[in-house]
Amino acid sequence: MVKNKGLLAVLTALFLAIEILLGVLLQICSGRTVALCSFGAVVLCCLFCILLFERSADYALIQMALACTVCADYFLVWSQPRVQLPAMMFFLVVQLLYFACLYLTDDCTRRKRWQILSRGVLSIVILVVTVAVLNKKTDALALVSMLYYTHLLLNVVFAFADFRKHTLLSIGLLLFLCCDTVIGLDMLNGYLPIAEDHLIYKLIHPGFDLAWACYLPSQVLIVLSLLLKSKPTE
């Protein structure tokens, strides 16, 4: 990683400035420019993380998660037309990597047991419920998406359970959850149509891209969570 404290501060400030600029542009621009700003912001997070390199399991897992996030967003944001199934499979891997990070850095044996048990049980339950609700409309995308969302929700719960150790990561994952809740409700419209005058429809279509307003900060905070672990020199 960058060892000089001053240089790291400058690079971090530059990183944040560019991310803020991209976040504004993707809200006010249109067409392919939106895809460029959105995908560029995710790629930048992954690249900036390289500057924070250290020999630790949590760094490796977060870096791999960010790389998989780039792959997922390639299919969802950059690819024309977008391809949802491989994107959601990558996002599922992302949450499993964050799970591994939370598990390996957890000092509480009891909580680690609950992580394993809850994920196993809820994974089975959510798949059964999805099939029961969607019936003949059930497809691989719905199953993978619900499984992914379940692990994301559990990651938020267990990250906040160890909030002092994972402060920025916890908030980042929560914003990640907010983003995917908005997207999930929008995707649900393809299976169970939501009327335009319904409250849920109005909440997920507020007049700006609410999903990215949550998603971009979530990725930035996840990257910055590694700064709390680093010890740069003067």
Side-chain angles (χ1 to χ4, degrees):
M1 65 169 289
V2 176
K3 295 295 184 180
N4 185 274
K5 186 176 181 179
L7 177 59
L8 183 59
V10 171
L11 292 174
T12 302
L14 181 61
F15 165 67
L16 291 174
I18 295 174
E19 290 289 1
I20 290 172
L21 176 61
L22 291 173
V24 172
L25 289 175
L26 70 86
Q27 293 289 350
I28 64 176
C29 293
S30 59
R32 197 63 175 166
T33 303
V34 176
L36 178 62
C37 293
S38 303
F39 188 60
V42 176
V43 171
L44 181 58
C45 284
C46 186
L47 293 177
F48 182 76
C49 188
I50 297 174
L51 300 179
L52 307 178
F53 172 80
E54 62 180 28
R55 296 179 182 276
S56 66
D58 51 343
Y59 169 83
L61 290 166
I62 288 178
Q63 178 66 85
M64 286 190 290
L66 290 169
C68 287
T69 300
V70 170
C71 293
D73 281 323
Y74 171 81
F75 289 106
L76 281 182
V77 177
W78 190 252
S79 177
Q80 293 293 329
R82 65 179 185 174
V83 190
Q84 291 181 305
L85 182 56
M88 295 314 300
M89 292 176 71
F90 271 113
F91 271 133
L92 176 57
V93 173
V94 168
Q95 295 310 318
L96 293 176
L97 288 168
Y98 287 135
F99 153 56
C101 178
L102 293 170
Y103 183 85
L104 293 176
T105 57
D106 198 335
D107 298 322
C108 179
T109 302
R110 183 179 180 182
R111 189 163 54 227
K112 292 174 77 170
R113 290 174 181 169
W114 272 107
Q115 285 216 50
I116 298 294
L117 179 62
S118 61
R119 288 174 193 278
V121 172
L122 290 180
S123 292
I124 295 173
V125 170
I126 198 64
L127 292 177
V128 171
V129 170
T130 301
V131 173
V133 172
L134 298 182
N135 203 351
K136 293 182 179 180
K137 291 186 178 181
T138 303
D139 56 16
L141 178 60
L143 294 173
V144 173
S145 297
M146 293 306 297
L147 194 59
Y148 151 76
Y149 189 83
T150 299
H151 283 282
L152 172 55
L153 179 59
L154 288 170
N155 282 341
V156 172
V157 170
F158 286 107
F160 272 93
D162 201 4
F163 185 72
R164 288 189 177 183
K165 182 181 291 184
H166 300 295
T167 305
L168 293 183
L169 181 60
S170 299
I171 300 172
L173 289 172
L174 178 60
L175 288 172
F176 208 144
L177 180 68
C178 292
C179 164
D180 285 316
T181 299
V182 172
I183 294 175
L185 289 172
D186 200 24
M187 287 177 61
L188 184 63
N189 194 40
Y191 298 93
L192 302 172
I194 303 173
E196 292 188 10
D197 60 348
H198 196 283
L199 177 61
I200 293 179
Y201 187 92
K202 293 179 180 179
L203 287 175
I204 61 180
H205 297 92
F208 62 92
D209 197 329
L210 179 58
W212 273 91
C214 295
Y215 183 60
L216 194 152
S218 80
Q219 300 308 299
V220 172
L221 288 174
I222 289 171
V223 173
L224 294 182
S225 69
L226 291 170
L227 279 175
L228 297 182
K229 303 175 185 297
S230 63
K231 296 179 181 180
T233 57
E234 297 294 338

